[in-house]
Amino acid sequence: RRRARRMLGSLHLNQNRLDEAEHLFQQMIAEKATDADAWIMLGYVYLQKRYWQKAESVARQLRKLPQGEALACCIRAEIAKMLGNLEEARTLADQAVALAPRLPLSRILLAEILDAMRADVAQQRRALAEVLRVSPGHKSARQALEGLNQPPQEFDERLFNGVAVASTFQAPA
């Protein structure tokens, strides 16, 4: 039953039905305060709502749980990333990976941050390969890695806001 409720909450979150997701995850936490999955999902609800203080509060609660320090670092890294503090976000994601090397979330987050930082392609490839090592079926990591391995693509003139502009997209080598 908890699994079904967690899936429903995830569906609400993915459909941007944030109030419903928040209510459901809060109920699950009220029933079992040590449910790290419910806490992390509640944290992502608050991140989507841009409720930074509430997301930070979730991180503090996660730190109290066994193995929760890595999850707390993930929430804090997401906050920093969303606020544009990419160096801080990377430091926190690196901490999460060090604390829980087999946790897919921390590795996925690190790969996203490296992409946002426009890090060296070799670093991005390594991060995505590590995601696939701990979570072999991760579709978006596989697609991102395949995209990094594609040759640069040339585009002719494009229309941007009604104005033709010449643009060339060069994938990092």
Side-chain angles (χ1 to χ4, degrees), residues 18-19 22 26 42-60 75 79 82-83:
L18 302 179
D19 291 337
E22 178 182 11
Q26 286 174 338
L42 181 62
Y44 275 92
V45 168
Y46 292 147
L47 288 166
Q48 280 197 350
K49 286 185 164 190
R50 305 180 90 66
Y51 291 176
W52 312 128
Q53 290 179 336
K54 287 186 176 188
E56 185 63 47
S57 177
V58 166
R60 284 192 300 276
I75 291 291
I79 294 169
M82 293 175 85
L83 292 175

Side-chain angles (χ1 to χ4, degrees), residues 8-45:
L8 178 61
S10 294
L11 181 64
H12 288 326
L13 183 60
N14 290 333
Q15 293 177 341
N16 210 33
R17 296 167 56 188
L18 302 179
D19 291 337
E20 290 149 316
E22 178 182 11
H23 179 71
L24 186 59
F25 292 126
Q26 286 174 338
Q27 280 183 331
M28 292 175 69
I29 291 166
E31 294 166 6
K32 185 179 176 190
T34 59
D35 186 342
D37 289 337
W39 277 111
I40 195 81
M41 297 305 288
L42 181 62
Y44 275 92
V45 168

Side-chain angles (χ1 to χ4, degrees), residues 3-173:
R3 184 169 183 242
R5 291 171 66 204
R6 186 173 293 117
M7 289 174 65
L8 178 61
S10 294
L11 181 64
H12 288 326
L13 183 60
N14 290 333
Q15 293 177 341
N16 210 33
R17 296 167 56 188
L18 302 179
D19 291 337
E20 290 149 316
E22 178 182 11
H23 179 71
L24 186 59
F25 292 126
Q26 286 174 338
Q27 280 183 331
M28 292 175 69
I29 291 166
E31 294 166 6
K32 185 179 176 190
T34 59
D35 186 342
D37 289 337
W39 277 111
I40 195 81
M41 297 305 288
L42 181 62
Y44 275 92
V45 168
Y46 292 147
L47 288 166
Q48 280 197 350
K49 286 185 164 190
R50 305 180 90 66
Y51 291 176
W52 312 128
Q53 290 179 336
K54 287 186 176 188
E56 185 63 47
S57 177
V58 166
R60 284 192 300 276
Q61 292 300 317
L62 282 165
R63 292 180 77 184
K64 298 175 186 178
L65 301 178
Q67 310 298 310
E69 185 68 33
L71 295 173
C73 284
C74 288
I75 291 291
R76 293 180 61 227
E78 289 279 14
I79 294 169
K81 180 180 79 170
M82 293 175 85
L83 292 175
N85 303 327
L86 297 179
E87 289 296 332
E88 178 184 355
R90 179 172 182 183
T91 298
L92 289 162
D94 282 335
Q95 286 175 8
V97 168
L99 289 165
R102 299 206 43 82
L103 178 68
L105 175 63
S106 60
R107 296 214 177 257
I108 293 163
L109 180 57
L110 179 59
E112 289 173 357
I113 291 166
L114 288 171
D115 180 54
M117 294 176 82
R118 299 190 186 278
D120 174 76
V121 174
Q123 284 183 309
Q124 292 183 49
R125 282 187 183 122
R126 281 192 302 273
L128 291 166
E130 284 299 308
V131 170
L132 292 171
R133 185 181 64 77
V134 299
S135 183
H138 199 280
K139 186 177 178 180
S140 61
R142 185 168 312 284
Q143 290 171 337
L145 187 57
E146 288 169 2
L148 284 176
N149 292 328
Q150 295 295 316
Q153 296 178 356
E154 298 284 332
F155 292 100
D156 292 328
E157 287 188 0
R158 304 203 127 204
L159 218 64
F160 181 71
N161 289 335
V163 178
V165 292
S167 66
T168 302
F169 170 74
Q170 299 248 339

